[in-house]
């Protein structure tokens, strides 16, 4: 009996090719609410009956802005060969942060005890720019080949995709600063295991690559059409 509803609207602006330029801009506002983001969202609530309270779903992106700028030269024989059928485009996307449930007590890699409402906190917004340059070459057989050079995450931004729920940080769950963490550090100091090795290994484990977008990447390729 779980359900979710998505309400919102989208505005799109398209500029057909003028002076070799085209522009596509889009803004979307949405409100995604429901009784649960997955099949286990209401686990443990059975003793209170079928709770029908709505809260933001995990995929709720309140604001999204997309912009595509494209430039392409025509197949004009008055131009040098290298400047014919040459094009480039830039794609930019800005998205508000998705919701998550904040917790009160940090643990080694998470947290416990809900603070505030379910999915009442928000991750940081993301901003990504991709770019591509391409050129068409005509083949003697009548087909053509498109050679391209593409850069993903042009600005090499470290966009955050997930955070530790007790601190809202993608790098530190706050465990070592908590009372439980201090107790564990004292236990290690008084024991036989080296404290420095534990701290180094713990820092390695905290840097989760899934919490961030991929860094700048470059691709070179060709598409044949015969």
């Amino acid at each position: 009996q779980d359900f979710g509803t998505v309400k919102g609207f989208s505005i799109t602006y398209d500029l057909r090719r003028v002076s070799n330029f085209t522009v596509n801009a889009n803004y979307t506002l949405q409100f995604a609410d429901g009784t649960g983001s997955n099949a286990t969202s209401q686990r443990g609530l059975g003793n209170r009956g079928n709770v029908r309270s709505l809260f933001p779903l995990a995929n709720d992106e309140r604001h999204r802005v997309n912009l595509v700028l494209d430039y392409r030269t025509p197949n004009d024989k008055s131009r040098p060969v290298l400047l014919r059928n040459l094009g480039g485009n830039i794609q930019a996307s800005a998205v508000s942060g998705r919701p998550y449930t904040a917790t009160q007590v940090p643990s080694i890699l998470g947290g416990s005890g809900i603070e505030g409402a379910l999915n009442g906190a928000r991750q940081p917004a993301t901003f990504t720019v991709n770019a591509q340059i391409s050129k068409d070459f005509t083949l003697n057989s009548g087909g053509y080949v498109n050679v391209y050079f593409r850069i993903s995450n042009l600005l090499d931004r470290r966009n955050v995709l997930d955070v530790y729920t007790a601190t809202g940080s993608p790098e530190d769950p706050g465990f070592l600063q908590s009372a439980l963490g201090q107790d564990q550090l004292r236990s290690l100091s008084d024991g036989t295991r080296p404290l420095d090795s534990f701290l180094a290994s713990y820092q390695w484990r905290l840097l989760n690559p899934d919490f961030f977008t991929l860094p700048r990447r470059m691709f070179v390729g060709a598409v044949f059409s015969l």
Side-chain angles (χ1 to χ4, degrees):
Q1 297 183 12
D2 285 328
F3 69 93
T5 59
V6 179
K7 303 180 292 293
F9 67 88
S10 180
I11 299 176
T12 300
Y13 172 77
D14 281 310
L15 174 64
R16 296 182 179 180
R17 196 167 297 277
V18 176
S19 301
N20 302 329
F21 275 101
T22 62
V23 179
N24 177 271
N26 176 273
Y27 168 72
T28 300
L29 171 69
Q30 76 165 15
F31 299 86
D33 300 304
T35 57
S37 300
N38 54 58
T40 62
S41 293
Q42 297 207 42
R43 180 179 55 190
L45 298 179
N47 59 346
R48 295 195 299 172
N50 190 5
V51 180
R52 312 300 294 170
S53 300
L54 300 182
F55 53 87
L57 300 179
N59 61 347
D60 177 33
E61 292 178 347
R62 191 58 45 84
H63 305 279
R64 172 179 283 271
V65 179
N66 296 316
L67 175 65
V68 179
L69 304 176
D70 184 89
Y71 177 83
R72 181 161 294 276
T73 61
N75 188 18
D76 188 350
K77 294 184 179 180
S78 64
R79 296 171 177 266
V81 175
L82 293 178
L83 297 181
R84 301 176 192 172
N85 291 326
L86 177 67
N89 63 71
I90 295 177
Q91 306 168 18
S93 176
V95 185
S96 60
R98 293 189 175 189
Y100 70 95
T101 302
T103 54
Q104 296 177 337
V105 182
S107 61
I108 292 182
L109 294 173
S112 60
I114 296 177
E115 182 175 0
L118 292 174
N119 277 350
R122 291 272 172 175
Q123 299 171 8
T126 62
F127 178 67
T128 305
V129 177
N130 303 321
Q132 177 173 297
I133 298 176
S134 62
K135 177 173 171 53
D136 293 336
F137 294 92
T138 303
L139 303 178
N140 294 332
S141 60
Y144 70 91
V145 57
N146 177 268
V147 180
Y148 64 87
F149 173 62
R150 185 172 77 249
I151 303 177
S152 295
N153 193 5
L154 177 65
L155 303 180
D156 200 25
R157 285 180 57 89
R158 204 179 187 206
N159 290 313
V160 176
L161 299 178
D162 204 352
V163 296
Y164 291 106
T165 56
T167 60
S169 168
E171 299 177 341
D172 184 11
F175 175 70
L176 295 182
Q177 295 81 13
S178 67
L180 294 175
Q182 292 297 312
D183 290 342
Q184 182 163 343
L185 293 179
R186 283 191 291 269
S187 176
L188 289 172
S189 299
D190 297 337
T192 57
R193 290 183 294 176
L195 178 59
D196 292 341
S197 297
F198 168 79
L199 292 176
S201 300
Y202 186 59
Q203 291 298 323
W204 300 336
R205 180 60 181 85
L206 290 184
L207 295 179
N208 189 338
D210 293 335
F211 281 14
F212 303 93
T213 55
L214 294 174
R216 182 189 296 119
R217 291 162 294 151
M218 302 181 185
F219 304 87
V220 176
V223 179
F224 292 87
S225 178
L226 304 177

